[in-house]
Amino acid sequence: FLTFEGNLKWDHTDLTYRVTNYSPDLDASVINDAFKRAFKVWSAVTPLTFTQVYSGEADIMIMFGSQEHGDGYPFDGKDGLLAHAFPPGQGIQGDAHFDDDEFWTLGAGLVVNTSFGNANGAACHFPFVFEGKSYSHCTAEGRSDGLPWCSTTPSFDQDKLYGFCPSELLYTYGGNSDGAKCVFPFVFDGTSYNTCTTEGRSDGYRWCATTANFDQDKKYGFCPNRDTAVIGGNSQGEPCAFPFTFLGQTYSSCTSEGREDGRLWCATTSNYDVDRKWGLCPDRGYSIFLVAAHEFGHSLGLDHTSVREALMYPMYSYIEDFQLHQDDIEGIQFLYGRGSGPKPTPPGPVPPTQTPDVPDQTTLATTTEDSGFQPTEPSPVDPGSDACRVQAFDAITEINGMMHFFKSGKYWRTSQSLKGKIQGPFPIAETWPALPATLDAAFQDLLTKKIFFFAGQRFWVYTGKSVLGPRGLEKLGLAPAPARLTGALQRGRGKVLLFSGEHFWRLDVKVQRVDRGYPRQTEETFGGVPIDVHNVFLYRGKYHFCQDRFCWRMTPRYQVDRVGYLKYDVLHCP
Amino acid sequence: PLPAKPQVTITFPGELVSQKSNMELANEYLSRFGYLSETKKSGRQESTTKALRAMQKKLGLEVTGELDQATLEAMRAPRCGVPDVGS
C-alpha cells in the first residue's frame, strides 16, 4: 500500500460526510446506501466513524459532476476517468467527485425500483408479459396518463403486480420543489417546454418546472432518468423513442446497427434520419459502491497501490463478492490503527466428549415437551470467527425457534430472545455427528420436530440424537434428483417446499414423499426473485430468497416487499 | 423472414471519437497520471520508455517499455482520476 506524501491523515476519527447532489441514474436512497456501505468498508477495520450530515461543511463533501466541475480536474465523458478524491485536509481536501457522464449502477446493470402501484416498491421484472405481449422496459401501454410502469413479476396478466417506473411525470429530485412532478408545458425564459430540458444550465442536468411558469414561480426540480435513458451521444439522459426509424428501418429496441464497435444505441426521437438525436443504451454501468469505497480510501489518506486485487488499485473492475484486501487493511491501519471491535481470543479448553447434557434454555422451552430432545450445548470452536464476515452461508433455517446459519462445518445461531446476539460458531459434527461439513439445505418439521438436512443428493433425518440416513433424494420422490437443493420453506403443518434452481417440490413430511404435480417452476409461484438463489428459508413468517449477500423478502401472498441484506436484515450485524 | 437491415456504418453526431494516435494517447496518460513529469515531456523516446516501464510496473503489466497492446488496453480502461505517481 501507499499513503500520500507526508502521510496525510485526518486529525480526528469522527468524520462527517455530505452528499451535495445525486445522479439521475439511481434513486437517492440507493446512492445513500451505497455510500454508507462504502464508508463501512473502512470503519470496519479502523476506529473511524462516519456520519452523514445534510447541511454545512462536512469533512468529506461528495458530489456528482461532469467535464470541468469546478476543481480544475475535468472528467472526460463516458468511461475513462470515473471519479477522483482529494487527500485529507480542509476545504476541498477529502472531497470525492463522481463523473456523472458514467452510467452509475450497482455494477450489474440497470435496476428499476418502482414507486406506488401494489408491489411495495419491488424492482421491475424484465421481461414481463402484459396482455400477451412481452416488454423488456417500462411502458405506458394500457394507461391514458402516460406514466411508465412495469410488472414486478414475469407476468402482469397472471399476478397483477406492478409499480411505476422513474419518470418526471411522477416526481423530480433536488431543486426546490420537494420532489413535485414536472408540469408540462412550462415556460422558461419566455419559451414553452413540453419535456425536461438542459437549457439554462451548463452542467447538462435535465430539469423541468414544477409549475406552469418557471419565470414567474421559480420552482423546479431535476428529472430522474427513465429506464431507457441514453448515455452520451447528443441526448444524454433523454429516453429512447421506441419505435424509431433509422435508415428507413423501424427499431423497437436498442440496436448496434450503424456502429462498428457493437455498442447498442437508440434514437431519442421517432426518426433518427430526420432528427439525428441519439445516445448509447444502458450497459452494466459502474458500481457506485465499489468506486466510492475506492475514492473514500483516498479521502482517508490512501494512495494507489500496485496490488491488482486491492481496492486501492487504480483501475476499476467489478467484484461481486467484495471483501477488503489485506493490502488495503494494512494501509488504512497504518494511518489510523485497528478498530475497537472484538479481538480474537485464544480458544478455550476442549470440552470432554462425555459431558452431561445441558439443555440450552431457549431450545429447552420449545422442544422438551414435544420431542424429549435435549440437545447437547455445543461449544464455540472459534470465538474469533464472525458470522457477519461470512459472504454466503451453505444453508439457513430455523431450528427450535432459533435461526441457524451453516457454513463449512460450522454453524451460528441467533433468535429474537438473544436480542440480536449471534452465538457460535459451533462445529456441526458436535451437534449432528452424521452430517457432512457442507450442507445445502435444512428444515425442521413443525409437528414432529424432526430435522431434515440435505447435502448434494443425500439427506439425513435427525430425531433428537437419532439419525436416519444418508438416503438418496429419490427416496423422497424427487426424480430425477436435482444436483442439490437450495432451501426449504415450511408450508403449514406437515408440508414443506423444497427448492432447487428453477424448480420446487412440495414434500409431505409425514409420508416423506413429494406430492403429485411437482416439480413446479419457481418463477411461476415466486415471481420476482432470482432463480439462482443460494438459500431459501422462512424467517419471521416471510419467505427469504438469498443470492450472494442480498435477500429478496416475500410475503405469504407472494409479494416481494424488500430486497435487502442477509447480514443486516437477518443476522442484524452492526 | 427477417427484414433486410442497414449494413452501413455511420458517424454519429456528438460522438467523442478520439483522433489521437496511440503515442499521443500514451503521452497524455503518462503525463496525467504522473509517470511523465512536466520537465520530461520533451517527446524524447528515452523519457517515454522510462515512463512506460514505470507505468507497467505500477499496474502489474509485463514491463517491456513498449507501447504494446496490453499497455494500450490498460490506458483505455476505466479508472480513478487520482495520479499514480506524485501529488
Side-chain angles (χ1 to χ4, degrees), chain A residues 2 80-83 85 246-247 249 251 257-260 265 272 276 278 286 294-295 298 304 306 308 313-314 316, chain B residues 3-16 32-33 58-61 74 77-84:
Chain A
L2 277 177
L81 304 180
L82 306 182
F246 171 57
L247 297 182
Q249 297 286 327
Y251 294 84
E257 286 298 325
R259 297 186 66 88
E260 276 182 330
W265 70 279
Y272 175 84
R276 298 196 176 275
W278 72 285
Y286 295 112
H294 174 101
E295 297 308 329
H298 289 314
H304 284 150
S306 302
R308 191 182 282 258
Y313 186 72
Y316 172 89
Chain B
K5 287 183 176 175
Q7 296 292 319
V8 295
T9 302
I10 65 163
T11 302
F12 285 85
E15 178 104 69
L16 294 171
R32 179 193 283 268
F33 297 110
K58 175 80 181 179
L59 299 185
L61 305 171
R79 59 159 291 157
C80 171
V82 173
D84 298 334

Side-chain angles (χ1 to χ4, degrees), chain A residues 470-483:
Chain A
R471 302 170 76 195
L473 284 183
E474 69 279 358
K475 296 285 185 191
L476 297 175
L478 282 84

Side-chain angles (χ1 to χ4, degrees), chain A residues 39-268:
Chain A
F39 280 119
K40 197 168 252 180
V41 163
W42 299 110
S43 63
V45 293
T46 62
L48 296 171
T49 61
F50 299 96
T51 306
Q52 184 171 6
V53 296
Y54 299 91
S55 61
E57 184 74 15
D59 293 318
I60 299 169
M61 301 288 278
I62 301 168
M63 68 167 281
F64 290 87
S66 55
Q67 303 291 341
E68 171 49 49
H69 51 279
D71 61 9
Y73 296 96
F75 289 128
D76 58 353
K78 182 167 161 49
D79 303 322
L81 304 180
L82 306 182
H84 57 216
F86 297 83
Q90 297 295 309
I92 199 171
Q93 300 295 108
D95 295 357
H97 300 164
F98 297 85
D99 184 357
D100 223 353
D101 279 337
E102 311 304 343
F103 177 43
W104 292 110
T105 65
L106 295 177
L110 187 71
V111 177
V112 185
N113 288 335
T114 61
S115 310
F116 307 107
N118 60 359
N120 291 321
C124 293
H125 187 290
F126 295 126
F128 67 89
V129 175
F130 169 54
E131 292 189 344
K133 188 177 166 188
S134 182
Y135 291 84
S136 54
H137 51 78
C138 299
T139 179
E141 286 294 319
R143 297 193 63 87
S144 57
D145 54 12
L147 284 177
W149 66 279
C150 69
S151 169
T152 58
T153 69
S155 173
F156 177 81
D157 295 345
Q158 182 183 306
D159 304 315
K160 309 289 184 203
L161 286 173
Y162 77 102
F164 291 100
C165 303
S167 159
E168 69 280 7
L169 302 176
L170 207 60
Y171 62 88
T172 58
Y173 73 98
N176 60 1
S177 300
D178 294 327
K181 65 183 180 182
C182 296
V183 170
F184 296 122
F186 67 89
V187 175
F188 166 57
D189 213 11
T191 304
S192 181
Y193 291 85
N194 273 309
T195 59
C196 297
T197 180
T198 57
E199 287 296 319
R201 298 193 64 87
S202 57
D203 57 14
Y205 284 104
R206 297 166 64 246
W207 69 281
C208 68
T210 54
T211 67
N213 194 322
F214 176 82
D215 297 342
Q216 183 182 299
D217 304 317
K218 308 289 184 198
K219 300 292 284 182
Y220 76 104
F222 294 101
C223 302
N225 278 353
R226 294 191 177 202
D227 63 315
T228 54
V230 301
I231 302 137
N234 56 6
S235 305
Q236 170 78 17
E238 298 282 343
C240 293
F242 297 128
F244 66 88
T245 303
F246 171 57
L247 297 182
Q249 297 286 327
T250 300
Y251 294 84
S252 294
S253 59
C254 296
T255 178
S256 60
E257 286 298 325
R259 297 186 66 88
E260 276 182 330
D261 57 11
R263 297 170 92 174
L264 294 169
W265 70 279
C266 70
T268 55

Side-chain angles (χ1 to χ4, degrees), chain A residues 346-416:
Chain A
V350 177
T353 51
Q354 295 300 318
T355 51
D357 285 356
V358 182
D360 170 83
Q361 291 307 308
T362 316
T363 53
L364 186 64
T366 56
T367 60
T368 46
E369 279 181 23
D370 293 329
S371 64
F373 172 36
Q374 296 192 347
T376 304
E377 174 69 0
S379 329
V381 285
D382 177 8
S385 186
D386 185 356
C388 291
R389 297 182 77 94
V390 174
Q391 278 296 311
F393 290 95
D394 297 335
I396 301 170
T397 195
E398 184 176 326
I399 297 172
N400 298 330
M402 303 182 84
M403 289 306 295
H404 283 61
F405 304 85
F406 297 90
K407 178 73 176 179
S408 305
K410 295 181 284 190
Y411 73 93
W412 292 260
R413 63 188 187 186
T414 185
S415 71
Q416 276 184 288

